[in-house]
Structures are given as C-alpha cells and as structure tokens.
Amino acid sequence: MNYQKWVRHFENNGRHRPEPDWQAPLEVTGGTLEKLTRSIQQFQLGDGGGPAYLIAWNRERYLSDPAIKRVVDLWFKEEREHSRLLGDMLKRLGGEEIQEHWSFSLFCAVRKFLGVRFELQALLGTEIVSNVYYKMLRKHGEDAALRGMCDLIIRDETGHIAFHRARLAAEAAGARPYGLLWAGMFRLRALVAGTVLWVNHRGAVVGLGGTDAEFYRTIWRDAGTFIRQVRKETAWSRNIRRMRRRISARIGGLCG
Ligand SMILES: [Fe+2]
Ligand SMILES: [Fe+2]
C-alpha cells in the first residue's frame, strides 16, 4: 500500500477548511432542538472524543510499521477535529459535553477485547453509517452552521472510507477476495451498525425531515458502492503487482 499517498492526502485535506458560521441565527427549535442536542452530545464523545485512537489490545503489532503509524496518527487527528467541531456545535445549541455514554463504552470495550483486525473493521462500519447520518443532517438541516460542520466532516469521512478501501485492496488474499459471502456479511454488518446508530439518533434526524427508509436505503447504497470499489481497487492493485513482478523478472533475465 502506498502510505506516502495517504500522508499527502491527509496533509492536503488539512488545508482550506472554512470554519462553520457559528454566529449565524439558529434555525432549529423546540423538540427537534432538544433531540439534536442529545444526538450531537453523543457524537461529540463518539466521533473523536474519548480515546480517539486504535485501542485494541494488540494494536502495537499493527502500528509497528512507522509508515502505517503515521497514517493512523493523521486519521485520528481528523477524528479529534470532528469532536472539536461537534463541541462548538453543541455550545451553539446550548448543550454540555458528556463524558460517557453506554453505547460508546460498550463499543470501546468490544474494540479493546477483539483485537485490531476487528477494530479496523468495526471503525469502517461506523464511518460508513456515521457518514450517512451527517449526510442526512446536511440535507435536511436548515441551520447554516450545522451544514458547514457536516460539509467538513463528510469530506473527512469520505477520505477515511477511501483509506479503508485501499487498505483492504492491499491486504486482499486468496483467488477470489471480497466475493458474495464477504459482500453479504459486509452489508449485514453495515445494517447492524446503522441500527445501533438509529436507536439513539433517529429522533434528531427525523425531526429535521429525514425518514427511516432514506436512512436504510442510503446505508444499502453506500455499502454497495464500497463493495464495488474495493473489488475494482483489488483487481487493479493485483495487476500492478503482477506487472512489477514481470518487469523485475525480465530485468533479472537481462542482467543474468
Ligand atoms: Fe469522524
Ligand atoms: Fe472517520
């Protein structure tokens, strides 16, 4: 995997980030304001709050390669920025930051216990469904600052999902990686992760105008897009590896 490319991606993405207009008139009121405040409180903790790093018991093995560690550091730096943005949004809504929530504590415990491979997979699922949440807030929310915040986070999360795709394409093993069974399990995990999110955040999104059907339809579509692209990138990176092997064999032949 070309880690240098990802370092460049994160460095470029850190530039030209227009701060949301926190002083714009607030366009959320009543029950929806309450629900949105509770939802943003939980996201402020879960999206870049808390430990904001890989926490699996065996993470050191994965991070022992300095190139991987550099990219992971940059990835989580963006996650911490999400927590900062969500904290400013929370102040605007009149809410206070929370230090713990049962769903986040459970998520962290499972990540610690089940190891770094599971953790990366779980974080990918969370990023896909969180991105759907932010896209729906962006689409239905009338509030200028909420939209500005979502624009930045969606831009970052789209990059994080692309990073996972490149990682999976580079790690692909076997004759038919990411086949039908894998794709079915991937969609199932995305739907389960989405349902866990929806239990706590449905009120806010529906209050703004989103629907259940739209939420699940978008998860299904985004998971499908991920599956198609990871297959394409896997085939592409295999072809490149094959070509490199042929070229070095030819060069070896010429030298020998
Ligand atoms: Fe995030
Ligand atoms: Fe992310």
Side-chain angles (χ1 to χ4, degrees), residues 47 75-76 78-79 82 123 126-128 130 153 156-161 164:
D47 189 357
W75 163 24
F76 280 97
E78 287 193 351
E79 298 298 1
H82 298 171
L123 288 171
T126 310
E127 295 191 295
I128 288 177
S130 299
I153 299 181
D156 297 345
E157 295 299 356
T158 304
H160 299 177
I161 293 165
H164 285 289

Side-chain angles (χ1 to χ4, degrees), residues 166 169-172 232-242 244:
E171 289 169 3
K232 215 192 276 177
E233 285 182 29
T234 302
W236 192 76
S237 66
R238 284 187 161 190
N239 285 341
I240 295 274
R241 281 202 295 270
R242 216 169 286 149
R244 276 195 191 134

